Amino acid sequence: MDAQKVDMFMMTNAKYFEGHHLNAIREKLLSLDESKWGLVQTMQFKEPTTSLIVSLLGGQLGIDRFMIGDTGMGVGKLLTCGGLGIWAIIDWFLIMGATREKNMETFQNAFY
């Protein structure tokens, strides 16, 4: 794939991934042929900041975990009222990283 297209993708989507994933993403995109550009442009990633806001407002009910696709952890948080509040508070610090990891899983499922 053209390096300019890859750089444009990286500039617009770097906030959705962890810093240590960026080199692997760049290398994978450079190895793809031009026919995959349409798929790359249409990929939807979850916003980590939105996950944090949802976690602050609905973390006790597990809504943040449901939103990023961790259904099992969402049910666990829902049934325990956010682990009596402790799990909900811990997730305030972890949810942005978990969202970025889920975005990387989405990217890997599409191209690996």
Side-chain angles (χ1 to χ4, degrees):
M1 188 173 297
D2 186 23
Q4 289 181 340
K5 290 179 181 177
V6 172
D7 289 340
M8 185 171 68
F9 176 84
M10 297 303 291
M11 285 190 308
T12 57
N13 295 300
K15 65 182 177 183
Y16 299 120
F17 301 100
E18 294 284 350
H20 62 275
H21 291 148
L22 295 178
N23 284 336
I25 292 169
R26 181 175 169 74
E27 293 299 320
K28 184 62 183 174
L29 288 175
L30 286 172
S31 70
L32 294 175
D33 59 7
E34 291 292 328
S35 65
K36 300 282 186 181
W37 178 241
L39 177 62
V40 170
Q41 285 184 314
T42 58
M43 292 187 73
Q44 298 281 322
F45 299 108
K46 294 182 173 55
E47 174 70 44
T49 306
T50 303
S51 297
L52 177 62
I53 292 169
V54 170
S55 184
L56 291 170
L57 299 175
Q60 295 260 334
L61 301 174
I63 296 171
D64 52 346
R65 289 294 177 170
F66 285 119
M67 191 177 96
I68 66 169
D70 281 341
T71 306
M73 292 182 77
V75 169
K77 282 180 78 174
L78 178 64
L79 294 177
T80 62
C81 294
L84 301 174
I86 296 170
W87 189 359
I89 292 170
I90 292 171
D91 256 0
W92 294 348
F93 301 99
L94 299 179
I95 196 68
M96 291 180 77
T99 304
R100 289 184 180 115
E101 292 291 333
K102 287 292 183 178
N103 286 336
M104 185 62 184
E105 284 181 26
T106 302
F107 181 83
Q108 288 176 334
N109 289 337
F111 296 114
Y112 287 95

